[in-house]
Amino acid sequence: MEQDEKRKFFDPNIPRKSLVLDKHLEGNQDNAALSPFFSLIEFNLSGLCNRKCVFCPRVDPSVYPNVNEHIPIELYEKIMKELAEVDYDGMILFSAFGEPLLYKNLEVVLKLSKQYCPEVRNESVTDGDFVTADKLRALFAAGLDTLLISMYDGPEQEEYFRGLTQEAGLSETQVVLRKRWLPPEEHYGITLSNRSGMVEIPEVGVGPLKEPLKRPCFYPFYQVLVDYDGAVLLCPHDWGKKLVVGNLNDNTIHELWDSRVMRRVRRNLANSDRNFAPCNLCDVDGTLMGKPHFEQWMQYYDKQAAARS
């Protein structure tokens, strides 16, 4: 496919992240009678971002404006309590559709994560604009395990952020620097996608699909995304929020993860059927991570089918 040929960049964070998720899965394979659990829960803490990147829907505020809304502490604590019921020790990621450091209670939610799920891995992505040595110390003291800084302005940022990292007494494995200033021909340093049809960059082969891809996707087998209003979305590529599984103000995370909607989506994607929103517009490969989770779900569904027959 022409789009695939134009996009060859492979984010080096993918293998690292995949190892973390697969390790979590290995430690949770004893409950064969229960539905497999996710290894990654991602939070969109607020509707705000301070940047407008060309590969993001926020490049056009009329399409994707800032919204001054934030996840309530009470709701976040409710979710942590539900995760504590299964001794969740996977990854919590603060990223999604905005800038996590614009959320004023970031240190509070980091502490709550460790309070209820002591073995959880807290990670956050940031554009670095609000990062100082003091902020780094505060975040890691509150329970952050890894901060991934996306550098958009140029190679001079590497020296600057390495200096802050050293000043804060942290290592390069704790503060990971990502080169996002690269030119279009180097894909801006990211694994590009059309954000479920909301981004078009013709010079690098990103744009609308003529028809849905006939490929599986593993995202709903290993990850769940929680928006600032409590809505559970299908995956971090659904920027248009076209498939809302349910809301955690009304349901538990356990109910929504194994809901009828998610079962239908997994069945469709396992059969390479993307003919439903938002997947019908999405150009993401979807198989770069999560294959062991996918296989575990397939085994679980096979056992359920055998028990009914």
Side-chain angles (χ1 to χ4, degrees), residues 147-151 157-162 165 172 175-179:
L147 182 68
L148 300 109
I149 301 179
S150 299
M151 301 176 295
Q157 288 187 289
E158 287 191 87
E159 182 179 355
Y160 173 72
F161 284 120
R162 286 202 178 100
T165 300
E172 292 185 5
V175 181
V176 178
L177 304 183
R178 307 198 292 182
K179 300 176 181 179

Side-chain angles (χ1 to χ4, degrees), residues 100-292:
L101 268 64
L102 286 173
Y103 181 66
K104 294 182 179 180
N105 292 313
L106 181 54
E107 289 157 39
V108 177
V109 298
L110 285 168
K111 290 177 181 177
L112 286 172
S113 301
K114 293 290 189 178
Q115 175 185 335
Y116 288 100
C117 303
E119 300 303 317
V120 81
R121 181 172 187 81
N122 282 325
E123 299 201 1
S124 183
V125 174
T126 180
D127 58 30
D129 289 354
F130 306 101
V131 172
T132 64
D134 286 342
K135 189 64 175 177
L136 287 174
R137 281 190 284 263
L139 290 172
F140 281 86
L144 187 64
D145 293 292
T146 300
L147 182 68
L148 300 109
I149 301 179
S150 299
M151 301 176 295
Y152 296 112
D153 298 334
E156 68 278 0
Q157 288 187 289
E158 287 191 87
E159 182 179 355
Y160 173 72
F161 284 120
R162 286 202 178 100
L164 290 183
T165 300
Q166 292 174 0
E167 184 181 345
L170 301 170
S171 71
E172 292 185 5
T173 59
Q174 291 173 296
V175 181
V176 178
L177 304 183
R178 307 198 292 182
K179 300 176 181 179
R180 297 297 197 244
W181 68 78
L182 301 180
E185 58 269 23
E186 295 184 60
H187 318 284
Y188 309 103
I190 69 172
T191 302
L192 290 170
S193 80
N194 68 3
R195 312 291 172 117
S196 293
M198 296 191 69
V199 170
E200 187 171 354
I201 318 174
E203 61 267 32
V204 290
V206 174
L209 299 177
K210 295 180 180 179
E211 59 183 21
L213 298 181
K214 295 181 175 61
R215 291 181 182 174
C217 181
F218 299 155
Y219 272 97
F221 295 86
Y222 71 87
Q223 176 170 357
V224 64
L225 189 143
V226 181
D227 206 0
Y228 57 78
D229 61 355
V232 171
L233 305 179
L234 181 59
C235 83
H237 294 282
D238 186 10
W239 280 71
K241 305 181 184 182
K242 295 178 179 178
L243 200 163
V244 178
V245 180
N247 195 291
L248 292 172
N249 287 292
D250 307 312
N251 302 97
T252 70
I253 190 69
H254 311 292
E255 291 169 339
L256 296 184
W257 176 243
D258 197 21
S259 64
R260 183 178 299 176
V261 173
M262 290 296 284
R263 289 195 293 268
R264 185 188 73 238
V265 165
R266 292 189 189 105
R267 181 173 63 250
N268 289 346
L269 292 179
N271 292 321
S272 300
D273 177 7
R274 297 193 181 192
N275 196 27
F276 61 95
C279 302
N280 58 336
L281 302 175
C282 181
D283 65 351
V284 169
D285 183 332
T287 62
L288 299 180
M289 289 188 291
K291 186 176 181 180

Side-chain angles (χ1 to χ4, degrees), residues 44-53 56-70 96-100 102-103 127 130 198 227-228 239 241:
N44 187 45
L45 293 174
S46 80
L48 300 176
C49 190
N50 58 300
R51 292 249 178 177
K52 297 179 179 66
C53 300
C56 171
R58 290 184 181 276
V59 70
D60 185 351
S62 68
V63 173
Y64 211 96
N66 270 345
V67 179
N68 192 21
E69 298 288 344
H70 313 269
F97 314 133
E99 168 52 52
L102 286 173
Y103 181 66
D127 58 30
F130 306 101
M198 296 191 69
D227 206 0
Y228 57 78
W239 280 71
K241 305 181 184 182

Side-chain angles (χ1 to χ4, degrees), residues 33-35 258 263 297-309:
L34 302 177
S35 60
D258 197 21
R263 289 195 293 268
W297 269 106
M298 292 298 97
Q299 293 170 6
Y300 171 72
Y301 286 142
D302 287 344
K303 289 178 181 177
Q304 281 191 320
R308 289 194 297 266
S309 61

